[in-house]
Amino acid sequence: MPLQRSVGAGLLLAVLAAGLAPGPGLGQPYTEQQIKRLALDALRDSPELVLEIIRENPEVVTQAVATLQERERAQQALAAQAALATHRDALLNQPHGPMLGNPDGDTTIVEFFDYNCGYCRRSSRVIHDLLKGDDQIRVVLREWPILGEGSRFAARASLAAQQQGAYQDFHRALMDLPGQATEANVMGAARALGLDVEKLRRDMAAPEVDAHLALSHQLARALGFTGTPAFVVGNTVAPGFTSLERLQDLVQQSRSAGLR
């Protein structure tokens, strides 16, 4: 076997074990770009040997994948922190947007949610319990309907309910729907609350509703969110369902840091 192929395949094994990161096990200070080039050479020149090495040492693939995943998570966290610094004002301050809790509270939680998200419905109960035990929390709600037409209709109707001073009651009613939100049961919930449904339909097309939904989408993407629910508390970005205990911890961390 040519020396070049042997060195290339051997180096590939080291690269896989290191997750494409230079390290002392490589024997010399290769740059990451050089390592990638040598690994590609090994794959091209002696693929059979590379496959043999992987078959005989499957753990190196697991190690490499884990290392790369950790790198990706770290990069995503850095990007989220940068986005949070850039968009903090838009996240925390929506003078005419929907809120729960104490408008003058000392700590803010921002929640991105969808009425057709089961975990969002669970989170709604968590938020209720959180606010019941802490009267200094302000919850900024960002309607982010990503689960279909029923979600979009429900979000528009809910935002429109602000014009009748009924957002919070309507929000709770939609979170408590027995099934998926649809035009029929959303309007049924509006009638049950005594809302003017014709006015509600008109207000659903208001520019303010369009602006809220567009900004929610922009902020969610900037923060790297891929689904609902998702939270921002202080300097922490928390995608996914978050327990009461975890939210309480994040609130305390935010307070300790003097963040609103």
Side-chain angles (χ1 to χ4, degrees):
M1 178 186 298
L3 179 60
Q4 178 185 0
R5 293 187 180 185
S6 178
V7 170
L11 181 58
L12 177 61
L13 178 58
V15 167
L16 284 170
L20 291 177
L26 297 181
Q28 55 180 299
Y30 286 106
T31 67
E32 185 167 330
Q33 192 60 37
Q34 287 172 323
I35 290 174
K36 289 178 180 178
R37 190 180 307 115
L38 287 166
L40 289 173
D41 288 344
L43 284 168
R44 184 187 64 245
D45 296 338
S46 46
E48 297 84 359
L49 178 58
V50 171
L51 290 174
E52 180 182 347
I53 291 171
I54 291 173
R55 281 195 297 268
E56 292 177 355
N57 302 272
E59 70 280 359
V60 300
V61 176
T62 302
Q63 294 168 5
V65 169
T67 301
L68 291 172
Q69 288 175 336
E70 182 58 35
R71 279 194 192 178
E72 184 178 358
R73 283 191 291 268
Q75 290 170 351
Q76 289 172 344
L78 287 174
Q81 287 301 311
L84 184 55
T86 300
H87 300 290
R88 182 175 291 279
D89 185 64
L91 279 165
L92 301 185
N93 302 311
Q94 50 173 6
H96 306 295
M99 294 187 189
L100 300 175
N102 184 350
D104 300 316
D106 62 11
T107 303
T108 300
I109 296 173
V110 183
E111 180 186 9
F112 292 75
F113 68 94
D114 182 309
Y115 287 112
N116 277 333
C117 163
Y119 285 108
C120 296
R121 294 185 178 188
R122 285 180 59 191
S123 292
S124 179
R125 294 189 285 274
V126 169
I127 292 294
H128 176 269
D129 292 341
L130 181 69
L131 295 178
K132 188 165 63 173
D134 190 328
D135 63 3
Q136 288 300 312
I137 295 177
R138 180 177 73 124
V139 179
V140 173
L141 295 173
R142 293 234 58 101
E143 305 256 1
W144 188 31
I146 56 175
L147 297 177
E149 186 56 38
S151 296
R152 290 187 288 273
F153 187 91
R156 285 186 170 277
S158 185
L159 291 167
Q162 290 186 104
Q163 299 304 315
Q164 300 184 50
Y167 179 88
Q168 292 192 17
D169 289 340
F170 197 36
H171 172 75
R172 284 192 292 269
L174 296 185
M175 282 296 182
D176 290 339
L177 287 174
Q180 292 287 288
T182 64
E183 179 175 350
N185 62 15
V186 167
M187 297 311 288
R191 292 188 188 92
L193 288 173
L195 298 184
D196 181 337
V197 294
E198 295 307 317
K199 174 176 171 53
L200 189 71
R201 286 187 182 275
R202 291 194 299 272
D203 291 338
M204 286 171 64
E208 294 83 0
V209 172
D210 292 335
H212 179 99
L213 297 177
L215 183 56
S216 290
H217 184 77
Q218 176 189 345
L219 293 172
R221 292 308 186 202
L223 292 166
F225 295 148
T226 58
T228 54
F231 300 89
V232 176
V233 189
N235 283 329
T236 301
V237 175
F241 176 77
T242 305
S243 69
L244 175 61
E245 293 75 16
R246 173 64 172 154
L247 283 177
Q248 289 170 330
D249 287 345
L250 293 177
V251 166
Q252 186 55 49
Q253 290 172 26
S254 181
R255 281 184 177 140
S256 298
L259 300 172
R260 188 173 188 275

